[in-house]
Amino acid sequence: MKKHLIACSLLALFAATGAHAADKLRMGIVVKIGGIPWFNAMEAGIKSEAAKRGINAWMVGPTAADPALQVRAIEDLIAQKVDIIGVVPNDPKVLEPVLKRAREAGIQVITHESPDQKGANWDFELVDAPTHGINHMKALAKCMHEEGKYAMYVGSLTVPLHQQWTDAALNYQKEHYPKMQMVTDKFGVGESLDDSIRTTNELMSKYPDLKGIMAFGSQGPIGAGRAVMNRNKIDQVCVIGAFSPGQGASLVQRGAIKGGYIWNPETAGEVFVRIADMMQKKEPITDGMTIEGLGKVKVDEATHTILGNNTESLDKENLPKLVKMGL
């Protein structure tokens, strides 16, 4: 009798454990590219928040910033029948069909850095796009003394958020700093260190009086800063942009990068998991509510976008704090 009771108890325990495992939220998050400091920090945020909440969440980092690799990664997650897919898109348009397939398979989708993403349940941003662009233009104008030639880099010409930042910055420049001039069209080199260095060298040769570079994309400011330093032009060319603090700290200390603003990618990783948890629990996401890591949010139901207000300054004074955080 005792043996029978023990056997029944073990079976019940195994069944309960299996049910719990089956109910555990499973989430794969596909980023732009793996192995660089920015997304390493995001992965740390994903892991720590998932552990706190008892969620099975992991990051998928393609070997190159290639939309086709992101499509393949998402297709693999669909095949794994995850509950939620997170994405930081390289090319939102290219991802639309595969995100549609994910939704048709009953998988919910969260994106980041891609407002109004077709096929997403929600996109979240840690800062309002126009404000982010304008803040960088103000910093660039101050460094350039509000006059002279400058260039703009984005991670890719197909990333809408980078276009929104630079468009807002350019419009603000035209209205407030008429003596400044963007020398040519934007360059989609900001996710490649080599391309950013090469482009900066070419620009400095073509425009000897170039006074500034505003760079978005994780490698854009780093490449521009290295090129400016190697050409001994740190006093002539202002580099402003968003970059991983640990990667850019030495360039800031030497004056090759003058500053910029970022949101904390570790926080973004945490927010991915928090929003997924809210969606799984069917908790409403409403305008004016507070979400940890985002603060008080603006929610645009029409575009399924959640806007926060949480950035860090990349100046000499604030950088050591960010580097200590592992960024």
Side-chain angles (χ1 to χ4, degrees), residues 163-224:
Q163 302 302 320
Q164 291 178 36
W165 295 339
T166 47
D167 286 347
L170 180 58
N171 291 336
Y172 192 85
Q173 175 263 302
K174 288 177 179 177
E175 183 177 352
H176 293 85
Y177 312 117
K179 293 183 180 179
M180 291 175 63
Q181 175 195 359
M182 190 166 84
V183 293
T184 183
D185 291 336
K186 303 169 192 175
F187 294 89
V189 297
E191 294 297 349
S192 168
L193 181 63
D194 291 340
D195 290 346
S196 297
I197 291 172
R198 175 183 50 77
T199 301
T200 305
N201 281 325
E202 289 173 356
L203 284 169
M204 288 188 293
S205 295
K206 187 173 182 180
Y207 304 100
D209 55 348
L210 187 75
K211 290 183 66 176
I213 295 171
M214 181 184 295
F216 294 112
S218 60
Q219 301 303 299
I222 305 299

